[in-house]
Amino acid sequence: MKLPILFLIDDDPQVLRALVRDVRQKYKQEYQILNTEDPEEAIESLRELKRSGEEVALFISDQRMPRLSGVELLERSKELYPEAKRMLLTAYSDTDTAIKAINEVDLDYYLLKPWDPPDERLYPIIDELLDDWHASYKPELAGIRLLGYQFSPKSHAIKEFLAGHLIPYQWLDVETNPKAQELLALNGLTPAALPAVLLEDGTVATNLEMRALAEKLGLRPTASSNMYDVVIIGAGPAGLAAAVYAGSEGLKTLLVEKHSPGGQAGTSSRIENYLGFPKGLSGSELTRRAVTQATRFGIEFLTPQEALDISSADQYKTVHLADGAEIHTRSIIITTGVAYRKLETKGISELTGAGVYYGAASVEAAQFRGKQVYVIGGGNSAGQAALHLSKFAERVHIVIRKKDLTSTMSSYLVEQIGRTENVEVVPETEVIEARGDGHLEKLVLRTGEANASIARAEALFILIGARPYTDWVQTSIMKDDRGFIMTGRDLRASESFNTGWKLKRDPFLLETCCPGIFAAGDVRAGAMNRVASAVGEGAMAVSFVHQYLAEV
Ligand SMILES: Cc1cc2nc3c(=O)[nH]c(=O)nc-3n(C[C@H](O)[C@H](O)[C@H](O)COP(=O)(O)OP(=O)(O)OC[C@H]3O[C@@H](n4cnc5c(N)ncnc54)[C@H](O)[C@@H]3O)c2cc1C
């Protein structure tokens, strides 16, 4: 965390030197001590300090200075730092001015020069002022600040990106947060430039592509080498587990993720059925632990970076990345999981990101405090999302086509929903239209054969099942009729596989129809769609990689 600032201003270099010396002596461990002889320069630098999120705890200014008196300077400092304490250094002859300033500029103290000995005449006063300041000071979150409109899809995408990469940030809604308005003016930003990311070093980034933002934040979208033992594509639980095992077993490993690590599990507010966590753990916590573990074992992690295709020639494979780079590798594990199915209903695509969200979108939950929130979907992920949202929303309505949740949701979630007063299930119902001007305001619902009804809705979260992320694989990797990648013995059922497979052995359990290319987790036909099974398959895939590498 940045240390608060004590700002000392005196045009007399000798007095300023003495003041800086004495103040440093006692306060340098806990405060930054800034000083200047020029009062106008002091005002200039205040704007810069404010822009970069620094806090000033105390100003000590001399009264008699050319161009700007101490009282005037302290007055102007109030515009940017109203909470800071203000002390005026005066000569005996300026006492009247100082007394007047106590009322006029909220002066906290005037100190007659000289202040020797400081132990008696300076430090007790500064201590008292700083104690007061600390009592009312709420430290701002250090780090990145995101300024934007709540119902802006672009703001939503950046929030998801930052949260997905576990980067702490402060969200400032320019419509409701006065602090956001202040930062907008300070940085000379117009509403058209939003969303804007204010970085820790004071730079402001607007209209950023995720890739450019990633680079600014020090993430790594390009590989350091172009030959690996294994490239793992997708950093959900399966990919992260594969990376941990591959790294720990000495394989030169590259993990590529197009969005942010954690995959679907990363968006879960509480995973309750993962072995070893009896109280459950959040998806972001699981992701944080897994990324730390994998990088500790020396794997290389590229994010955000998308695999666009893979190709294979002899025993070498190539992964073609979105930035045009080609990465060569001896084996590949595909762990690209699934994407949410889109809801093709009137009004949904126009309002996506502006009150309508796919997935649990946990970064938005707190924005809907006291509001009417709808969830579409009857699976476990919809149940978890509804329970999480119920902590904020006035009421959460789970819209399902079936009569009840019992056939689609685990019983522990059905029970929890039954016990949660502000969650209701709306059975045999469909959302047939989303309406709103700039953001979601109403949903049109139809229950059974009844006439459509209109309900007030500030947010809609859609969790209606998934389709595999496999469109990108152009290479002749066999998929089932729903697009999931086929592996192992299941491949034998296909005639074209039997004629195309040239090895004497059968494909390994998680091997695709292309030797040395494996699939694990939800992307694989027949997967169990659980965090634990994805993790298990990721680990297993690495053992098959070893067996494959031993034979080529
Ligand atoms: C809200 C929610 C809650 C859930 N709760 C639970 C629970 O409590 N318990 C449980 O057991 N299961 C739960 N699940 C299911 C579980 O999260 C999934 O089964 C699991 O995440 C699957 O892991 P995976 O690694 O196979 O795929 P995913 O998690 O889908 O990860 C795939 C990753 O690959 C990336 N990717 C895709 N294409 C590319 C490409 N071309 N290039 C690079 N990267 C790419 C994606 O961005 C993604 O990060 C939940 C799911 C959701 C959505």
Side-chain angles (χ1 to χ4, degrees):
M1 205 179 93
K2 290 176 184 168
L3 296 177
I5 293 168
L6 307 185
F7 205 141
L8 320 178
I9 310 112
D10 197 319
D11 66 312
D12 181 333
Q14 233 180 326
V15 180
L16 186 63
R17 257 201 312 278
L19 185 63
V20 171
R21 181 200 60 216
D22 288 346
V23 171
R24 266 203 191 127
Q25 170 127 6
K26 171 135 196 237
Y27 299 99
K28 67 171 187 235
Q29 305 293 349
E30 290 160 63
Y31 296 87
Q32 304 176 61
I33 311 226
L34 303 188
N35 68 88
T36 174
E37 291 170 25
D38 180 348
E40 283 176 344
E41 185 187 292
I43 295 293
E44 270 307 298
S45 52
L46 284 189
R47 296 185 72 78
E48 197 47 47
L49 292 173
K50 190 77 187 180
R51 264 167 33 88
S52 37
E54 304 271 2
E55 254 332 309
V56 180
L58 172 67
F59 291 95
I60 306 181
S61 170
D62 190 40
Q63 165 60 5
R64 288 205 182 185
M65 295 185 290
R67 299 196 301 277
L68 204 61
S69 73
V71 170
E72 284 166 328
L73 184 147
L74 294 177
E75 167 88 70
R76 288 186 49 190
S77 72
K78 267 170 62 183
E79 290 162 21
L80 292 168
Y81 288 102
E83 309 299 333
K85 297 292 164 191
R86 278 159 252 278
M87 188 198 281
L88 196 65
L89 283 182
T90 58
Y92 185 72
S93 51
D94 291 326
T95 315
D96 281 351
T97 318
I99 292 171
K100 266 177 72 190
I102 289 181
N103 294 328
E104 283 168 14
V105 298
D106 280 342
L107 187 68
D108 293 286
Y109 200 87
Y110 68 90
L111 182 71
L112 290 178
K113 295 184 274 189
W115 52 83
D116 281 330
D119 281 330
E120 283 172 28
R121 297 205 45 227
L122 182 66
Y123 300 150
I125 296 151
I126 296 186
D127 284 346
E128 197 176 313
L129 292 177
L130 291 177
D131 282 352
D132 274 6
W133 179 79
H134 275 290
S136 59
Y137 165 64
K138 289 194 193 67
E140 270 192 25
L141 187 78
I144 295 164
R145 286 164 295 170
L146 171 62
L147 287 184
Y149 294 98
Q150 169 58 32
F151 293 114
S152 142
K154 277 190 191 165
S155 297
H156 173 64
I158 297 180
K159 281 190 229 171
E160 291 240 86
F161 179 82
L162 294 171
H165 283 91
L166 313 168
I167 297 168
Y169 69 95
Q170 188 183 12
W171 161 244
L172 297 155
D173 183 345
V174 289
E175 281 176 319
T176 55
N177 190 328
K179 175 101 197 146
Q181 290 290 349
E182 193 183 302
L183 286 168
L184 204 66
L186 263 174
N187 290 286
L189 290 167
T190 60
L194 296 177
V197 181
L198 312 188
L199 298 168
E200 252 177 307
D201 62 3
T203 47
V204 181
T206 54
N207 291 320
L208 276 182
E209 291 294 320
M210 292 308 165
R211 217 178 126 75
L213 178 60
E215 272 169 28
K216 280 200 169 289
L217 295 171
L219 297 172
R220 205 159 197 282
T222 42
S224 69
S225 163
N226 77 344
M227 184 69 197
Y228 292 85
D229 291 328
V230 59
V231 173
I232 302 161
I233 306 171
L240 286 166
V244 167
Y245 285 89
S248 69
E249 289 162 21
L251 295 175
K252 188 172 176 196
T253 306
L254 180 72
L255 174 62
V256 181
E257 167 57 49
K258 75 169 183 179
H259 183 54
S260 51
Q264 299 163 71
T267 68
S268 170
S269 49
R270 187 141 297 268
I271 299 164
E272 298 202 49
N273 56 358
Y274 190 54
L275 184 74
F277 294 89
K279 287 188 176 161
L281 87 166
S282 69
S284 57
E285 178 57 14
L286 180 68
T287 306
R288 190 187 63 74
R289 287 167 184 248
V291 171
T292 312
Q293 201 172 6
T295 36
R296 215 192 93 215
F297 285 126
I299 69 121
E300 206 178 315
F301 184 20
L302 288 197
T303 176
Q305 183 60 265
E306 185 174 0
L308 288 189
D309 199 6
I310 48 188
S311 54
S312 180
D314 305 323
Q315 74 266 51
Y316 295 111
K317 289 122 189 58
T318 304
V319 180
H320 304 264
L321 299 177
D323 65 354
E326 293 189 344
I327 308 288
H328 304 293
T329 175
R330 298 167 69 206
S331 65
I332 292 175
I333 306 176
I334 301 173
T335 49
T336 47
V338 297
Y340 286 105
R341 271 201 308 118
K342 298 282 176 213
L343 184 65
E344 308 289 346
T345 294
K346 194 172 166 198
I348 292 288
S349 71
E350 294 81 348
L351 294 169
T352 296
V356 173
Y357 306 98
Y358 282 93
S362 46
V363 290
E364 302 293 352
Q367 308 301 325
F368 297 105
R369 204 174 285 281
K371 309 275 185 207
Q372 295 292 321
V373 169
Y374 280 73
V375 171
I376 306 185
N380 281 356
S381 49
Q384 273 186 13
L387 286 168
H388 181 59
L389 289 160
S390 72
K391 294 178 196 150
F392 309 94
E394 185 185 345
R395 197 155 188 79
V396 181
H397 313 259
I398 306 177
V399 179
I400 51 168
R401 285 201 180 133
K402 299 202 170 189
K403 269 195 168 64
D404 58 38
L405 295 169
T406 47
S407 62
T408 51
M409 200 179 282
S410 297
S411 55
Y412 76 94
L413 283 169
V414 177
E415 278 162 28
Q416 281 182 42
I417 286 170
R419 286 197 304 269
T420 310
E421 271 184 13
N422 64 339
V423 180
E424 70 162 341
V425 179
V426 188
E428 298 178 311
T429 299
E430 267 182 82
V431 170
I432 56 172
E433 189 183 341
R435 292 181 186 167
D437 184 10
H439 61 93
L440 180 69
E441 289 166 315
K442 290 182 179 130
L443 289 176
V444 184
L445 304 163
R446 181 178 294 132
T447 303
E449 298 299 308
N451 284 341
S453 61
I454 298 178
R456 195 187 107 207
E458 273 91 8
L460 172 67
F461 294 82
I462 304 169
L463 299 103
I464 51 168
R467 55 172 193 80
Y469 262 135
T470 52
D471 302 348
W472 61 276
V473 191
Q474 314 289 319
T475 314
S476 53
I477 287 196
M478 287 177 62
K479 304 172 199 168
D480 70 7
D481 49 4
R482 293 190 303 146
F484 289 93
I485 295 180
M486 293 173 67
T487 54
R489 263 188 309 186
D490 290 352
L491 289 161
R492 282 286 181 209
S494 150
E495 186 117 344
S496 63
F497 170 79
N498 291 324
T499 45
W501 182 258
K502 300 294 177 216
L503 301 184
K504 284 203 184 100
R505 62 167 175 83
D506 269 353
F508 297 120
L509 196 61
L510 301 179
E511 198 168 25
T512 67
C513 64
C514 184
I517 300 182
F518 301 84
D522 283 13
V523 74
R524 201 177 64 77
M528 302 299 293
N529 309 114
R530 292 281 184 277
V531 176
S533 51
V535 166
E537 288 190 9
M540 272 163 71
V542 173
S543 101
F544 295 128
V545 163
H546 282 297
Q547 292 183 51
Y548 166 77
L549 292 179
E551 74 186 18
V552 288

